[in-house]
Amino acid sequence: MFEYLFSEEQLRFRDEVRDFVKSVPRQLILDMDADKIRFPTEFLQEAGRRNLLGCRYPKSLGGRGEDWVSACMVMEEVGTLSYILACVFGVGAELVCDAIVKHGTAEQQEKYVRPLLKGELFAAECLTEPRGGSDFFGATSTAEDRGDYFLLNGQKRFIVGAEGADFFLVYARTDPDAKPHESLTCFLVDRGPGVESVYQYGLMGCRGGGAGRLVFKDVKVPRENVLGRVHGAAAVFDTMMIPERLGTAAMTIGAARPALEIATRYSSRRKAFGRPINQFQGVSFQVAEAAMLLDASRAMAYATARAVDAGIEMGRIRRMVSEAKKFITESCQQAAHHALQVMGGIGYTNVFPLERIHRDLRLASIWTGTNEVMAMIIAHEWYREAAQSEPVRDYESDAVEAGALEEKIYE
């Protein structure tokens, strides 16, 4: 951890989170990975009792009024338990909560946010559909305006918390003839008649988080459950990108941390050729590489958190958050790879949790927007910023033959 970034109050808060992490039963992690537990209800209830969920939200709604730096710290610490526990921790109390706090009515906030933060209700975000997830505005789920209510039909899949959530944040098409950015509406949909969840996936990792398919058949959604405005889902989605991707980045650091810690202890004790294997560069350099990647990841996560807290221009935030998600998830996957390599054959067994960590972390570069989509966003925003900014000096002229204009052919 970067302790020097935190105030004394934040460090005390971190210790609260660590006490919670220590209290989580080992059997919960094992049973989730074995698919014996489909959704960690008691885990979220205990987090709520300890007032650890959604620390960024106002105290008046049950939060702590903290900033993004504190939220990243919480997500990193919770991530050390397992990647999927951090995912479940964040989906309701960070993603869905964020949307309701930013775009919801006072009535919606009172009905959903307060019990979410207490661990009394659980929520899931429903974006990905069977036809795809990256093409958000190509969603085919529909909600027909019937006056007092909307009639929702469609399917969502790969939804963390589909099994276990009490209500769902659902994007659906409400104007099929409008431009893509003006065609979708965001709804708060209670579990009830017409809402069917199917826990069906044999996941490579990240098991036990309730991931499944949701089917909506003629679900009557009251008009007061529109989040934001009708046909205005784009505004909700834009703000959701921050908690989705920055939260993912922070929790990924936490999930990779135990791999490095275990590999460090193992290589300090394991002997070969008469001495501890950490004295061999082939081992110690891999540990060094993993440590460097995690520290670089923290630097990017907390710098981005500071930028979000500072309220800088949204386009630049979008680039920084996308960079953080891409760089950190790939770096942490590589750090776990190094740790597993250090462990050798024993790391490939279930004697140590490296194999589970390795499997779980593979999700990080896929969900909440694939890293290829992150690269698209980064490139788009970088070129936009470059077109709007003035260079400090004419660096192009700092070459011997800079005046050879006949050589500078652009068309």
Side-chain angles (χ1 to χ4, degrees):
M1 284 292 288
F2 286 8
E3 284 85 354
Y4 52 85
L5 288 178
F6 305 123
S7 66
E8 288 298 320
E9 182 181 349
Q10 286 173 316
L11 289 173
R12 286 192 294 271
F13 184 22
R14 183 199 63 181
D15 290 341
E16 281 187 58
V17 182
R18 287 184 171 179
D19 284 342
F20 171 59
V21 168
K22 290 176 184 177
S23 75
V24 172
R26 161 184 178 267
Q27 199 60 43
L28 172 66
I29 297 169
L30 300 181
D31 286 349
M32 288 176 70
D33 191 49
D35 257 339
K36 294 178 181 178
I37 291 178
R38 291 186 171 186
F39 188 77
T41 301
E42 293 179 2
F43 166 81
L44 290 176
Q45 289 173 336
E46 180 61 22
R49 280 193 289 269
R50 294 176 183 237
N51 195 24
L52 301 180
L53 296 170
C55 71
R56 291 184 293 116
Y57 305 116
K59 293 180 180 179
S60 60
L61 290 174
R64 288 179 177 245
E66 297 286 353
D67 58 12
W68 256 110
V69 171
S70 297
C72 282
M73 176 269 292
V74 172
M75 295 309 298
E76 179 180 347
E77 293 298 330
V78 174
T80 63
L81 285 165
S82 77
Y83 196 65
I84 188 56
L85 280 172
C87 292
V88 173
F89 183 95
V91 162
E94 290 292 337
L95 305 189
V96 176
C97 229
D98 206 77
I100 303 172
V101 169
K102 285 188 169 66
H103 301 277
T105 64
E107 291 76 17
Q108 289 171 340
Q109 291 174 8
E110 192 64 30
K111 180 180 178 180
Y112 293 108
V113 171
R114 190 178 301 280
L116 257 180
L117 298 185
K118 286 183 177 179
E120 296 172 351
L121 284 182
F122 312 116
E125 180 196 22
C126 301
L127 189 154
T128 301
E129 296 191 349
R131 62 169 298 281
S134 297
D135 182 12
F136 168 68
F137 292 105
T140 59
S141 294
T142 61
E144 182 183 345
D145 192 342
R146 296 289 185 88
D148 290 341
Y149 65 91
F150 287 80
L151 198 65
L152 174 65
N153 285 280
Q155 294 186 20
K156 303 289 182 176
R157 73 170 177 181
F158 305 148
I159 306 304
V160 172
E163 183 93 357
D166 298 292
F167 72 95
F168 308 93
L169 184 77
V170 181
Y171 298 95
R173 189 169 299 281
T174 46
D175 188 348
D177 300 320
K179 297 176 182 178
H181 283 66
E182 300 171 357
S183 64
L184 301 181
T185 301
C186 188
F187 298 93
L188 298 171
V189 181
D190 295 313
R191 188 185 289 276
V195 178
E196 178 188 3
S197 61
V198 184
Y199 187 85
Q200 66 182 60
Y201 301 115
L203 298 177
M204 172 182 172
C206 286
R207 303 166 186 151
R213 179 186 291 252
L214 279 162
V215 181
F216 302 102
K217 295 180 180 178
D218 292 334
V219 180
K220 291 184 177 181
V221 183
R223 196 170 195 89
E224 59 265 28
N225 278 33
V226 169
L227 187 63
R229 61 178 182 83
V230 176
H231 314 318
V236 180
F237 180 68
D238 281 347
T239 58
M240 290 282 279
M241 284 194 292
I242 297 174
E244 275 192 340
R245 293 161 186 177
L246 185 51
T248 287
M251 71 174 69
T252 309
I253 299 169
R257 242 171 68 188
L260 176 57
E261 291 181 12
I262 292 166
T264 300
R265 287 197 298 271
Y266 181 84
S267 59
S268 300
R269 299 164 64 186
R270 172 74 170 181
K271 290 184 178 180
F273 307 102
R275 51 183 173 148
I277 61 173
N278 67 359
Q279 295 182 15
F280 297 100
Q281 290 181 346
V283 171
S284 64
F285 281 11
Q286 294 205 66
V287 171
E289 185 77 12
M292 179 184 70
L293 288 169
L294 289 187
D295 276 346
S297 295
R298 286 191 188 92
M300 180 170 274
Y302 289 110
T304 303
R306 287 276 178 92
V308 176
D309 286 333
I312 67 172
E313 187 261 331
M314 187 60 188
R316 190 174 179 192
I317 287 292
R318 189 178 295 112
R319 172 173 66 82
M320 293 180 70
V321 168
S322 300
E323 287 173 347
K325 196 271 180 179
K326 184 178 190 302
F327 176 83
I328 291 171
T329 57
E330 291 173 1
S331 295
C332 289
Q333 287 169 348
Q334 187 60 40
H337 169 82
H338 286 305
L340 185 56
Q341 193 70 16
V342 165
M343 302 288 291
I346 196 69
Y348 201 65
T349 73
N350 60 7
V351 173
F352 290 92
L354 273 291
E355 58 87 25
R356 174 182 54 78
I357 293 170
H358 198 274
R359 284 187 285 109
D360 286 355
L361 281 175
R362 190 59 188 85
L363 177 64
S365 54
I366 297 173
W367 88 314
T368 67
T370 67
N371 282 10
E372 289 72 27
V373 170
M374 297 303 101
M376 290 168 53
I377 295 170
I378 294 164
H380 177 271
E381 294 298 340
W382 178 262
Y383 277 108
R384 183 190 63 81
E385 289 177 45
Q388 296 175 352
S389 63
E390 290 292 330
V392 176
R393 60 178 280 135
D394 181 11
Y395 296 110
E396 190 176 309
S397 68
D398 295 336
V400 175
E401 298 292 339
L405 300 182
E406 68 278 7
E407 297 297 332
K408 297 183 177 181
I409 309 300
Y410 300 111
E411 295 183 1

